[in-house]
Amino acid sequence: MKQSILIVEDEEKIARLLEIELQFEGYQVCKEKNGIDGLETYCKGNWDLVLLDIMIPGLNGIELLRRIRKHDTNVPVILLTAKSSIADKVEGLDLGANDYVTKPFVIEELLARVRAALRVGATIDMAPQVVDKWLSAGDLRLHEGTREVLRGEHNVELTPREFDLLVHLLRHQRQVLSREQLLENVWGIDYMGDTNVVDVYIRYVRNKIDPTRQLPELIHTVRGIGYVLKESL
C-alpha cells in the first residue's frame, strides 16, 4: 500500500514540483493551498507524513502544526520555510515538527528527509504504546508511559522533543554523551540539521526542571564533548 503525504503549500510551482517528485517516488499525494483547507483535509485522511509551509494563508503553518499535534503526536511533519535562523527552526521543532527544509531546497535532500521521517514514524508505530517504567535521578522522576515528569512534588511540562531528550539522558546516567550521539538517538540517525540545536534543547530542559536555579544541578556540560546527567560532579 502506498504511503500518503499531505502537502500544504501556497506557492503553486513548489507544490506542483513536490507533487510530481513524490508521486514519481511512489507516494500517494494530496496538496492544499491554505491552512484551513489543509486542516480539513488532514482531519479527513490517514496521513503518513505532512509537508507544511510556515507562511500559508488562512491558518499559518505554526498554528496548523499545533492543531495537528493535538490530534496526533506521531505523524511526521516536515516544515518548509524561507526562514534560516536557528531560532526560527528551533521554534518549529519545539512545537513538534520532526524536521525542516529551508527554501530554496534541493529536491534530492528533501526526498531524503521524507524517507528518514517516514522510517522514524514507522518505528514509533511499531513501538509498545504503554511503558510502565519510572526513571529517576535525585528528586527528578519521569514516567515513560504516562509522560509525567516530576521534580520533587512539582509537575514539569515538557514538549515531546524535550521529553525524549530527558528520557535518553536518564537512560544513560553518568555516561558522557556527545552532541552527535544525542542527535542520532533523539532526533534520528538521518537528521541533517545543526548540532547546536542540542545546546538549545539542553537549555530548555534545564530551565524547566530547575526554573529557580536553586536545586542541585543534574545536567552537566562536559566541555568540548557534550553532556552528562548525574546527581553530582
Side-chain angles (χ1 to χ4, degrees):
M1 185 175 179
K2 290 183 178 181
Q3 291 175 300
S4 58
I5 296 177
L6 173 62
I7 301 168
V8 188
E9 167 64 70
D10 64 325
E11 294 185 51
E12 181 58 35
K13 289 183 179 179
I14 293 178
R16 180 57 179 155
L17 170 65
L18 291 171
E19 182 181 37
I20 292 171
E21 293 290 344
L22 290 168
Q23 286 178 340
F24 183 78
E25 293 293 316
Y27 301 110
Q28 181 178 329
V29 180
C30 178
K31 54 185 173 61
E32 296 292 353
K33 296 181 180 180
N34 62 73
I36 295 174
D37 291 340
L39 179 60
E40 182 179 353
T41 300
Y42 169 79
C43 291
K44 289 180 179 178
N46 184 21
W47 305 99
D48 295 296
L49 183 137
V50 179
L51 283 173
L52 176 58
D53 184 29
I54 289 181
M55 302 301 292
I56 49 176
L59 193 69
N60 68 45
I62 293 298
E63 181 58 31
L64 179 51
L65 175 61
R66 285 195 184 99
R67 298 193 188 193
I68 289 173
R69 282 292 171 250
K70 286 182 180 179
H71 179 268
D72 188 340
T73 59
N74 291 334
V75 61
V77 177
I78 298 178
L79 295 178
L80 304 175
T81 174
K83 300 177 180 179
S84 59
S85 75
I86 291 297
D88 292 324
K89 295 172 182 176
V90 167
E91 180 185 13
L93 293 169
D94 194 35
L95 289 168
N98 298 77
D99 202 352
Y100 60 85
V101 176
T102 303
K103 300 177 183 177
F105 53 81
V106 177
I107 192 64
E108 289 80 8
E109 178 185 353
L110 184 140
L111 292 173
R113 290 175 183 265
V114 166
R115 292 191 293 270
L118 286 169
R119 285 196 294 271
V120 172
T123 301
I124 292 172
D125 289 341
M126 292 185 293
Q129 296 301 304
V130 177
V131 181
D132 188 18
K133 182 179 180 182
W134 283 95
L135 300 173
S136 64
D139 61 348
L140 176 68
R141 294 185 296 145
L142 176 151
H143 194 283
E144 294 185 76
T146 63
R147 302 184 75 85
E148 292 177 88
V149 181
L150 300 171
R151 186 77 193 264
E153 299 301 319
H154 300 284
N155 288 314
V156 179
E157 297 293 331
L158 298 179
T159 66
R161 187 76 68 181
E162 292 164 356
F163 182 87
D164 292 343
L165 176 59
L166 186 56
V167 167
H168 192 72
L169 290 168
L170 284 166
R171 286 177 178 170
H172 298 83
Q173 289 184 52
R174 307 192 67 81
Q175 179 180 339
V176 178
L177 301 169
S178 68
R179 291 171 179 82
E180 290 75 16
Q181 287 175 308
L182 290 169
L183 279 175
E184 179 177 333
N185 289 282
V186 178
W187 278 260
I189 192 170
D190 296 294
Y191 179 79
M192 293 176 279
D194 303 289
T195 58
N196 57 356
V197 74
V198 173
D199 303 318
V200 174
Y201 272 82
I202 288 288
R203 185 171 71 250
Y204 288 167
V205 174
R206 280 173 167 164
N207 289 340
K208 288 187 176 182
I209 64 175
D210 184 14
T212 64
R213 301 296 179 89
Q214 296 178 353
L215 299 173
E217 186 176 6
L218 292 174
I219 302 174
H220 307 275
T221 301
V222 181
R223 191 175 300 276
I225 301 177
Y227 299 96
V228 59
L229 189 149
K230 56 183 179 180
E231 293 184 46
S232 62
L233 287 173

